[in-house]
Amino acid sequence: MKKSSIFGLVVIAIAIAVIISVYSNTSTYGSFGDATKTSSELHIVGHLNKSKELFYDATKDANYFSFYAKDNNGEERKVILKGPKPEDFERSEQLVLTGKMVGSEFHASSILMKCPSKYTQDKLETKEVKAKSASI
Amino acid sequence: MDIQFKGEHLLPGQIGQFFIVLSFGAALLSFISYYFATTDDVGKQNSLWQKLGRAGFLVNLASIIGIGVCLFTLIYKHYFEYHYAWAYTSRSLSIYYILSAFWNGQEGGFLLWLFWQAVLGTFLIFRSKSWERPVMTVVAMSQVVLAAMVLGVEVFGQRIGSSPFLLLRQSMEAPIFSNPNYLEFIKDGQGMVPSLQNYWMIIHPPTLFLGFASMVVPFAYAVAGLWQKKYKEWVAPAIPYALFACMILGTGVVMGSFWAYESLNFGGFWAWDPVENASIFPWIVLVAGLHVLIVFKNTGHSYFTATFLVLLSNVLTWYSSFLNRSGILGDTSVHSFTDLGMFWQLVISIFIFLGITIWLLVSRWKELPITKKDEDTYSREFWMFVGAVFMGLSCFHLLVVTSVPVWNAIFHTKMAPPSDIIKHYNVIQSSFVFVIVLVTGFSQFLKYKKTDVTKFFVITGSYLLIAAALTALIAYTSGVYKLNFVFVLAMWGSVYSVLVNGKVLADAFKGKFKLAGSAVAHIGFGLLMIGALISAGTSKVISINNTGEAYNAEFAKEENPRENVTVYRNQPTKLGDYTVTYIGDSISSPNHWFKINYKKIDANGKITEEFTLKPKVQVSKGTMSASPDTRHYLFSDIYTHITLTNAITPTEAGTESAEAAHDADNDDKNYDAPVSHEVKTGDTIRYRDGYIVLTGLNKEAKVQNIPLSDSDVAIGAHLEIVSNSNKYSATPVYMIKNGNVFDFARKVDDAGLKLRFSKVIPEHKTVEIVVYQQPESKKKFVVMKAIQFPFINFFWAGTIIMVIGFFMSILRRKRELKTV
């Protein structure tokens, strides 16, 4: 067998390994109902229930923010973010929550918000908030 | 009936739109003419087609400059009847940012790209000699595709492109536009997003777009080579352009990461955001392609890989443009790029470049100079090839993950990106980096074609050992060893690469100067990786809230580090090695700077180090956005970011505080229940945060604007306050005027106190002082995050060194061209 064929096979093997590792690493979009059934993190698309209380008090705990969100099936859960309240949170139109259920509460590790743009009303902009800092 | 609108300045927009159509038409003419110059006028010296092609291209350049002038007029003169001027600027915007408003919108980005591509094309007209016709056919074609992006013209009911000269009333529907005087109601534009009001936004986009534009030149050479069947000849002239593209695009990307680090709140310089990833796809692939081009030039091997990578890099430029501009990344990206309704136009553009690539490679497949002979394992070119393939694989991985929303759109799946995306990328990419840097190291010991094997293993082995020892030292002192093993491996490879290439550089100074460029670039890349690994891997949040007091029951169960700390004004708080105090604010609307003082105090209580950082919060249109401030040291940075504050509210920009808005009667509710103290001169009053001393009474106190008659009395109480080791003084006044008793309270905002001199008690020879103290929640505070980034300067220095290396290589390759 030629050396270049061997190398080609190695490259193909790595490429396949990459795809498998990505596939096993990707999570799925789900609902709060799905989140109760799994212990791994998943993404939930939903929106903020603006009629219920948003709790944040920096003088008590600067890293605790809670609110109520409804997923696309209309199921509602209390969501907790370990971090300060994102700017403009009340104005968000859609949320993508990443995290998992702890008891009856959803603990989010990051929240991606879609807000009506501050500057052009005819466009949407998105924003992401993470509970922890980015590090290796 | 048409409404006659008043006060609109339609002329600059009409001229601008005319130039847009002209630039498109001229590019199209240039493309067609160059095409026929290449096919029909082969060998003709004075080709009419060629002249037409040149003329078309120059008209294209001129009309793009015309577009720029018109757009500048709209922005500079505040013609808010135009959507672009209204959406991205305001009257208060400073002149520097008028410039960046140019490329604030997507249309502006395309214009910048168009402009640079026109400049590069013009350069090629004068410099590419025999290659001009086929190369310029491709460049002009690319210019046609780009110009279509800003055309903004409807063809068969389908709008092509989006023009920056769209009027406000054309771009949105509102009842106001039925009023002929509507402009009188549009006093100001929407203004620029505060995070864009930064000097990096003036130079980062032009650099990035010059990088994107320059990707087309090596692509054009490769296409020309295949098309004209000059399979080998295109490589040598294309190399300097490929080097240039890599140098500029690399600089542009790192400028973006510096901007993110300096003024955005990412908490770092790289976050693997899809938009960031998309901008490095073409860079990685072209750097890989460049190496294989050099392999081919030296040995005649790997022709297909070289050509394929060069062609692919430009296809990826368009793919990255599609990812960023089509709105497809909506659910995964922080960046707020949105769809301009050009989804399919962008898709078609990718397929134009992809189609050319595939068609040329397939139709010429049998004629390609592909060697059947195997390369020698101990040759430099073989390992350069291997390294390039691994770069390709690293890009492949980034591409697969970043494109998750694209796969979902194509296959109707519901995949979400890995939940800890940063870790996912870091681990897998570091593995690729390990292989790549290792190759950039030991391949330096190999010679083109053939090498002495034993000698090679001895040298490589000894350098690997030295690098291992150094890595162990760095990993141990920096703490990288605590992380995933892959990072240590990547560190080892990077140190090794720096060492080996350092030796090559040292040799270069002794005479083999040819190799200096690549050595410098490799050293730069190695340093960049070392800096990235240490600073991202061991960056430490120092604002960990470990006071315990603020833990609430639900969270006490979980021991997560709490990375945001509440710091009250003038109340020193301990953060890691530092004592941090929020000492004040300075305001210049819309900017509100918070002065955060850092002190390092040694065991003897002596201050060993002190500095003040001024992180910023901008208030604009009812929202707040924060930018960090960073203290730079040679070996580490302290990054400070305000995540929240009660010192300003979005609606009360500029006013000092909420209290100022309240009238005096309501003021007391901002304080805890008052406590009165009966004291005489020299007595001390204790309160929660310190103490107050009555140092004396002033019988001739004066209160502004209140004249006193002889029968009136006004006494001031001199009070000295010590709060959290800061000293203040205040003189509340007690007054009897016309038989009525008044008292004038004094506030010490910094200490959160209000003091009243409420009574004189002659029988005890004392006075009564009432102390109002602000509760914790009413005191001004900031919630801040502080991160220490060690060795981040390696990252920046590495980048600069790498760019210098690219530049040296360009000079070398250009010299080679002349001698051939």
Side-chain angles (χ1 to χ4, degrees):
Chain A
M1 205 158 151
K2 271 174 60 176
K3 191 176 62 200
S4 51
S5 333
I6 299 173
F7 182 65
L9 285 178
V10 171
V11 168
I12 292 166
I14 292 174
I16 292 170
V18 164
I19 292 175
I20 292 172
S21 94
V22 167
Y23 188 75
S24 61
N25 253 302
T26 47
S27 56
T28 45
Y29 288 106
S31 61
F32 285 125
D34 300 330
T36 47
K37 290 176 208 130
T38 172
S39 60
S40 56
E41 288 212 325
L42 80 180
H43 298 242
I44 292 174
V45 182
H47 59 269
L48 172 69
N49 183 347
K50 293 179 187 178
S51 63
K52 285 206 178 163
E53 186 201 26
L54 284 96
F55 177 81
Y56 184 73
D57 187 345
T59 58
K60 289 220 176 78
D61 187 340
N63 295 284
Y64 180 91
F65 172 50
S66 76
F67 58 93
Y68 289 86
K70 272 187 185 154
D71 67 13
N72 284 345
N73 300 339
E75 204 176 330
E76 184 178 274
R77 285 293 149 87
K78 185 176 182 184
V79 180
I80 291 164
L81 175 73
K82 288 163 254 168
K85 184 167 84 84
E87 284 160 16
D88 269 355
F89 192 78
E90 296 85 346
R91 296 175 50 184
S92 69
E93 296 198 332
Q94 196 196 332
L95 301 171
V96 182
L97 309 166
T98 308
K100 55 186 170 192
M101 295 298 293
V102 176
S104 61
E105 292 160 346
F106 187 80
H107 285 203
S109 58
S110 84
I111 297 176
L112 184 77
M113 322 188 274
K114 276 182 194 271
C115 300
S117 170
K118 299 165 193 173
Y119 301 95
T120 42
Q121 279 74 26
D122 51 337
K123 289 178 189 169
L124 286 175
E125 68 171 27
T126 58
K127 239 166 123 174
E128 191 174 26
V129 180
K130 283 208 162 61
K132 285 188 211 158
S133 74
S135 61
I136 289 189
Chain B
M1 193 190 83
D2 277 354
I3 309 169
Q4 288 297 314
F5 294 103
K6 282 182 192 152
E8 287 183 338
H9 304 82
L10 295 180
L11 191 64
Q14 282 161 348
I15 299 175
Q17 189 60 35
F18 166 75
F19 275 131
I20 285 183
V21 177
L22 182 63
S23 75
F24 177 79
L28 196 60
L29 172 75
S30 177
F31 163 54
I32 294 168
S33 308
Y34 268 122
Y35 180 82
F36 286 117
T38 319
T39 53
D40 291 9
D41 282 0
V42 186
K44 256 198 228 171
Q45 277 300 320
N46 271 320
S47 158
L48 182 65
W49 283 121
Q50 184 178 18
K51 282 180 189 158
L52 257 176
R54 283 182 182 177
F57 204 84
L58 294 177
V59 170
N60 173 261
L61 175 67
S63 43
I64 290 168
I65 293 169
I67 299 170
V69 171
C70 292
L71 189 57
F72 186 77
T73 312
L74 308 187
I75 299 171
Y76 184 71
K77 296 220 166 163
H78 305 298
Y79 290 160
F80 296 125
E81 55 270 43
Y82 292 95
H83 179 264
Y84 206 85
W86 172 81
Y88 305 120
T89 67
S90 62
R91 290 186 191 280
S92 58
L93 201 64
S94 86
I95 182 74
Y96 307 106
Y97 302 125
I98 293 283
L99 204 62
S100 47
F102 246 118
W103 40 83
N104 196 330
Q106 285 211 40
E107 296 91 345
F110 278 125
L111 277 178
L112 205 53
W113 187 347
L114 263 177
F115 171 71
W116 284 125
Q117 196 166 268
V119 170
L120 288 167
T122 311
F123 182 81
L124 285 168
I125 290 177
F126 292 102
R127 298 299 295 269
S128 54
K129 302 196 178 100
S130 64
W131 286 100
E132 183 191 334
R133 295 177 198 182
V135 164
M136 285 305 295
T137 310
V138 181
V139 175
M141 183 213 72
S142 177
Q143 197 75 344
V144 172
V145 176
L146 258 183
M149 296 290 167
V150 287
L151 207 50
V153 168
E154 267 190 40
V155 180
F156 305 121
Q158 191 67 42
R159 196 165 62 96
I160 297 177
S162 172
S163 160
F165 297 106
L166 207 61
L167 291 172
L168 196 53
R169 60 182 158 86
Q170 293 167 330
S171 70
M172 51 176 77
E173 279 179 30
I176 188 177
F177 296 123
S178 56
N179 183 344
N181 294 322
Y182 81 96
L183 258 184
E184 287 173 23
F185 302 98
I186 299 173
K187 295 276 180 244
D188 205 354
Q190 298 287 290
M192 188 177 283
V193 182
S195 62
L196 297 182
Q197 295 186 30
N198 179 287
Y199 59 96
W200 282 108
M201 279 324 282
I202 304 175
I203 58 169
H204 161 60
T207 315
L208 197 68
F209 281 105
L210 175 57
F212 278 157
S214 54
M215 300 302 283
V216 81
V217 186
F219 174 83
Y221 270 97
V223 170
L226 292 174
W227 179 21
Q228 297 295 297
K229 306 193 177 183
K230 293 189 196 164
Y231 297 113
K232 295 180 179 175
E233 292 90 330
W234 70 269
V235 172
I239 288 176
Y241 291 110
L243 280 164
F244 176 78
C246 293
M247 176 176 87
I248 301 292
L249 187 57
T251 311
V253 170
V254 174
M255 274 180 179
S257 82
F258 197 73
W259 170 51
Y261 179 67
E262 279 282 283
S263 75
L264 301 180
N265 48 10
F266 278 24
F269 53 88
W270 196 262
W272 296 115
D273 183 85
V275 173
E276 293 174 340
N277 291 354
S279 66
I280 52 166
F281 296 159
W283 187 82
I284 298 178
V285 171
L286 192 60
V287 171
L290 185 65
H291 283 86
V292 191
L293 279 182
I294 294 169
V295 169
F296 171 74
K297 188 167 163 287
N298 287 320
T299 69
H301 285 295
S302 315
Y303 179 80
F304 174 76
T305 316
T307 312
F308 176 69
L309 288 175
V310 169
L311 291 170
L312 187 66
S313 64
N314 194 45
V315 177
L316 285 176
T317 308
W318 280 88
Y319 182 65
S320 107
S321 208
F322 160 76
L323 287 180
N324 293 345
R325 293 163 184 274
S326 66
I328 197 158
L329 297 177
D331 284 346
T332 55
S333 173
V334 194
H335 287 64
S336 56
F337 300 118
T338 42
D339 185 13
L340 282 176
M342 282 156 56
F343 187 94
W344 289 108
Q345 197 178 339
L346 285 159
V347 172
I348 291 167
S349 307
I350 304 171
F351 278 100
I352 290 175
F353 291 94
L354 186 64
I356 293 173
T357 301
I358 294 173
W359 183 74
L360 278 173
L361 286 174
V362 170
S363 67
R364 298 284 192 264
W365 178 252
K366 287 202 175 117
E367 296 174 31
L368 295 182
I370 296 173
T371 47
K372 294 279 172 280
K373 204 169 77 48
D374 242 2
E375 286 163 274
D376 195 300
T377 317
Y378 297 105
S379 67
R380 183 184 287 172
E381 68 271 21
F382 175 69
W383 289 101
M384 276 173 84
F385 175 76
V386 172
V389 170
F390 271 86
M391 291 193 81
L393 283 171
S394 118
C395 182
F396 175 73
H397 167 241
L398 288 174
L399 190 86
V400 168
V401 186
T402 311
S403 304
V404 162
V406 180
W407 312 141
N408 285 341
I410 297 175
F411 304 114
H412 300 287
T413 45
K414 286 181 99 186
M415 276 191 293
S419 45
D420 193 346
I421 192 108
I422 291 175
K423 194 176 164 220
H424 173 89
Y425 279 125
N426 281 346
V427 170
I428 295 185
Q429 288 297 317
S430 294
S431 323
F432 285 120
V433 163
F434 171 60
V435 177
I436 292 161
V437 284
L438 211 57
V439 174
T440 63
F442 72 74
S443 62
Q444 304 294 334
F445 292 126
L446 296 163
K447 300 206 165 51
Y448 286 111
K449 309 229 162 123
K450 190 81 188 157
T451 313
D452 178 355
V453 179
T454 338
K455 198 178 147 203
F456 164 73
F457 274 111
V458 171
I459 303 179
T460 316
S462 48
Y463 270 88
L464 274 173
L465 280 178
I466 301 169
L470 268 173
T471 305
L473 189 71
I474 299 173
Y476 183 75
T477 49
S478 64
V480 167
Y481 73 98
K482 290 180 209 150
L483 310 168
N484 196 315
F485 187 61
V486 184
F487 302 133
V488 182
L489 276 184
M491 174 78 79
W492 180 37
S494 305
V495 171
Y496 172 68
S497 174
V498 170
L499 283 179
V500 173
N501 284 287
K503 183 197 175 289
V504 176
L505 186 63
D507 290 346
F509 285 119
K510 286 185 211 145
K512 291 189 231 160
F513 201 69
K514 264 187 8 174
L515 293 176
S518 72
V520 171
H522 288 154
I523 292 173
F525 185 70
L527 289 175
L528 182 154
M529 284 315 305
I530 296 173
L533 284 164
I534 305 182
S535 64
T538 65
S539 72
K540 197 171 76 186
V541 175
I542 54 175
S543 53
I544 301 264
N545 187 353
N546 45 18
T547 53
E549 66 174 284
Y551 278 51
N552 90 26
E554 257 167 305
F555 264 91
K557 284 181 277 181
E558 292 177 33
E559 287 175 343
N560 276 307
R562 6 215 53 252
E563 302 183 335
N564 294 279
V565 162
T566 310
V567 176
Y568 290 100
R569 185 143 164 187
N570 295 313
Q571 208 164 299
T573 307
K574 198 115 172 72
L575 292 190
D577 298 339
Y578 294 96
T579 301
V580 173
T581 318
Y582 161 31
I583 51 172
D585 310 64
S586 61
I587 299 154
S588 160
S589 194
N591 296 319
H592 189 118
W593 284 277
F594 293 86
K595 293 185 197 154
I596 309 290
N597 177 269
Y598 279 75
K599 277 194 193 90
K600 215 175 198 168
I601 301 169
D602 67 7
N604 305 324
K606 247 179 60 189
I607 296 170
T608 54
E609 190 191 330
E610 185 177 2
F611 57 90
T612 300
L613 290 178
K614 288 173 148 190
K616 179 171 83 170
V617 173
Q618 282 168 312
V619 181
S620 156
K621 309 260 171 211
T623 56
M624 301 198 283
S625 69
S627 305
D629 192 19
T630 305
R631 170 83 174 173
H632 302 280
Y633 291 100
L634 193 55
F635 295 116
S636 78
D637 277 5
I638 302 271
Y639 165 105
T640 302
H641 184 251
I642 303 290
T643 34
L644 201 104
T645 176
N646 70 346
I648 40 173
T649 52
T651 45
E652 290 174 293
T655 59
E656 233 308 272
S657 63
E659 289 100 295
H662 290 288
D663 52 296
D665 294 339
N666 277 331
D667 191 45
D668 286 358
K669 72 170 192 242
N670 289 322
Y671 295 88
D672 283 341
V675 183
S676 38
H677 300 267
E678 207 181 300
V679 285
K680 51 177 180 284
T681 308
D683 281 359
T684 300
I685 302 167
R686 302 214 163 264
Y687 75 106
R688 195 179 61 221
D689 291 339
Y691 58 91
I692 304 164
V693 183
L694 177 64
T695 53
L697 295 170
N698 171 13
K699 302 253 162 58
E700 273 137 39
K702 286 198 171 65
V703 178
Q704 228 186 339
N705 299 333
I706 301 181
L708 295 177
S709 62
D710 291 345
S711 59
D712 297 343
V713 182
I715 311 169
H718 289 299
L719 299 170
E720 278 195 12
I721 302 130
V722 175
S723 161
N724 291 312
S725 68
N726 290 310
K727 284 196 175 132
Y728 309 94
S729 63
T731 313
V733 175
Y734 174 84
M735 184 190 282
I736 300 171
K737 186 172 162 66
N738 304 331
N740 293 319
V741 175
F742 300 92
D743 77 77
F744 297 90
R746 290 287 179 260
K747 282 198 224 176
V748 186
D749 276 338
D750 284 355
L753 284 178
K754 184 162 96 169
L755 301 164
R756 276 178 62 201
F757 179 0
S758 55
K759 240 186 242 172
V760 176
I761 312 166
E763 54 267 38
H764 296 158
K765 293 191 175 156
T766 56
V767 296
E768 188 182 72
I769 303 289
V770 184
V771 177
Y772 291 76
Q773 190 176 5
Q774 272 183 355
E776 297 277 324
S777 60
K778 284 282 180 350
K779 288 208 296 202
K780 280 193 188 178
F781 65 81
V782 292
V783 176
M784 57 169 264
K785 186 167 181 172
I787 310 175
Q788 197 165 21
F789 288 98
F791 292 99
I792 191 154
N793 281 343
F794 275 88
F795 181 78
W796 311 124
T799 309
I800 295 166
I801 293 171
M802 186 167 77
V803 167
I804 294 171
F806 273 120
F807 189 69
M808 290 166 70
S809 301
I810 296 177
L811 295 181
R812 171 197 164 188
R813 298 289 168 185
K814 268 188 69 191
R815 224 173 292 130
E816 274 183 0
L817 271 183
K818 279 182 197 136
T819 53
V820 169

